[in-house]
Every structure is written in structure tokens, then in C-alpha cells.
Amino acid sequence: RDASWTHALRHHVDVKAGLEHNDEWDAAWSAVPLWRAPFSMALYPSQFGFFDVIRMWWEGPRAHWPERIATNLVYWLQCFLAHKMGVLKEITVTSHACSVIGWFLFHACTHRESFYALMLRDPSGKRYIPVIDEAMHLIIGPARWLECKWHDVHHAFASSMMALSMRASLEPVPKMVEAMADMVDEGLFFDPKSGTAVDHLLDAGGVLGRRAAWKAAQCKRGS
């Protein structure tokens, strides 16, 4: 709950576009060289290290304390039971490794320019990545992979769209992809002075209207 509170009131206030790196969450991790990110996360878990938790307790509302106490009681009970079963060391190492892999996939990529550049190679605008898409659908599922690939849309409309993986339980994933591809192609942001659409992925090779041109070419070819 503290992580969600901090995420909503700090991270989404400071970061509105996909390629911004001006905070301490995934945007900051995406600015770290890719080769160094997994080693750094192995030593310092992404936003869930000891000092991060203490800081969230200090800054978060006092109303969260009952849940903090209950959560820690359950956690230490699980550790005690694992110790009694003789598997505490194995569970600790495995859970930490899985945490590093998971946060590397999400925090180290979702605001990274090269990640968006890779997806923008797809002229349809649907951000299809050969082989990787199929692998991620098997490993984490289409909904969670959707959350990674379209993280910029989530940031632009965080309060209305919420978590994309949650919305995917209400809408078919292909339908969501088509809709978000159209949104990005038209422009998620506007210049307040000129009133024209701004491509927030320009540095990664984004071009507004590219998908519309592709769709027109497909229609012409089909006719």
C-alpha cells in the first residue's frame, strides 16, 4: 500500500512521458546502462530495499500502520515456517533472483529509449517484436507484457486508464493494442503554445501519422 501511495502521488506526478528520467522509480532505472542494471538491482532491489521501505513508512500516512504490521507478521511467519521446513535459504535466493529478473524487465526497460526504438520498427504501430513477444506471452502473459510495452500510454493517462494489465481483464488485448496504437500515432501530448500534437517518442524514432500512412497503404493494397 505504501508503494502504491508513493507511486501514484510522486512517480506519476513527476513523470508524464515515456522517455523522462526525472524521478527515483522505473524512469531512473531506465537511465542506467542496460548491462549494469541487473547487477545493480541484485545489490539494491528496485524501490524495495531496506532503506526504501523505511522511507515509505516514514513518509506514508499513519493510517497505513495496521496494514504494515499485519503484512510484516505474515512475512515473518512465512520465514519461520520456511526455516522449520529447511528451505529458507533456497526460498530467499530464489525469490531475490525472481525479483531481480522481474524488476529488470519492468523498471530497466519501460522508460528506456532503445526499448521504444526497438518497438517502433514495427510500421503498423502495434509495437510487435518478433520472438520476444511470443516468449513474453508465455512467461508473463499478454496482459503484463502489454503493461511493459505501452507504459508510456499508462503514464499519459494514469488516472483514467489505470494499470493496463487490469484493464486487459475487461477488454481484449488485441483491441487495446489497436486503440493505443492509434492514440500514440495521433499524439498523446499537445504543445500548449501552438496547439499541435507532439511526438513524445521523437528521440526514439517516433513519427506521428506513420501508422495512419501504413493503414492507408494496406487498404490501397487490399483494394
Side-chain angles (χ1 to χ4, degrees):
R1 189 176 180 183
D2 286 302
S4 299
W5 184 84
T6 305
H7 187 82
L9 298 184
R10 180 179 296 165
H11 180 54
H12 277 285
V13 170
D14 295 337
V15 180
K16 294 298 181 183
L19 297 182
E20 291 183 353
H21 302 116
N22 56 344
D23 82 335
E24 303 170 358
W25 286 72
D26 47 8
W29 277 105
S30 289
V32 174
L34 190 62
W35 66 268
R36 199 169 68 193
F39 299 103
S40 300
M41 287 184 178
L43 297 173
Y44 187 80
S46 181
Q47 269 65 55
F48 292 97
F50 176 79
F51 294 107
D52 291 300
V53 174
I54 296 299
R55 179 182 176 183
M56 284 190 280
W57 286 357
W58 178 263
E59 295 179 346
R62 284 183 290 179
H64 291 184
W65 271 109
E67 186 173 329
R68 292 168 188 158
I69 294 170
T71 301
N72 273 273
L73 287 174
V74 172
Y75 171 74
W76 287 110
L77 176 61
Q78 290 175 328
C79 290
F80 173 75
L81 293 175
H83 171 69
K84 285 295 185 181
M85 296 169 64
V87 294
L88 179 60
K89 183 185 297 184
E90 291 81 356
I91 288 178
T92 301
V93 173
T94 302
S95 63
H96 185 69
C98 291
S99 177
V100 171
I101 294 170
W103 288 120
F104 170 77
L105 177 64
F106 197 74
H107 276 193
C109 296
T110 52
H111 290 271
R112 188 173 297 276
E113 183 177 317
S114 58
F115 180 60
Y116 286 96
L118 178 63
M119 294 188 292
L120 290 174
R121 293 178 183 178
D122 180 5
S124 72
K126 292 188 285 187
R127 302 185 176 180
Y128 172 68
I129 311 175
V131 181
I132 294 179
D133 269 17
E134 287 78 11
M136 288 298 116
H137 287 176
L138 289 173
I139 297 171
I140 63 175
R144 293 192 180 278
W145 185 228
L146 191 79
E147 191 85 60
C148 295
K149 291 177 65 176
W150 299 91
H151 198 63
D152 53 333
V153 178
H154 164 66
H155 265 274
F157 303 99
S159 58
S160 57
M161 295 198 70
M162 302 179 68
L164 299 180
S165 55
M166 293 175 59
R167 183 168 287 273
S169 64
L170 304 174
E171 297 282 351
V173 169
K175 181 180 178 181
M176 290 181 62
V177 170
E178 291 285 347
M180 291 188 291
D182 286 336
M183 291 167 60
V184 172
D185 194 53
E186 293 171 6
L188 299 180
F189 301 96
F190 284 86
D191 186 320
K193 295 181 179 180
S194 64
T196 57
V198 176
D199 194 335
H200 67 291
L201 298 176
L202 189 63
D203 291 341
V207 178
L208 294 182
R210 184 186 182 198
R211 170 173 164 81
W214 176 85
K215 290 170 69 175
Q218 293 297 307
C219 290
K220 186 177 180 180
R221 185 181 303 174
S223 61

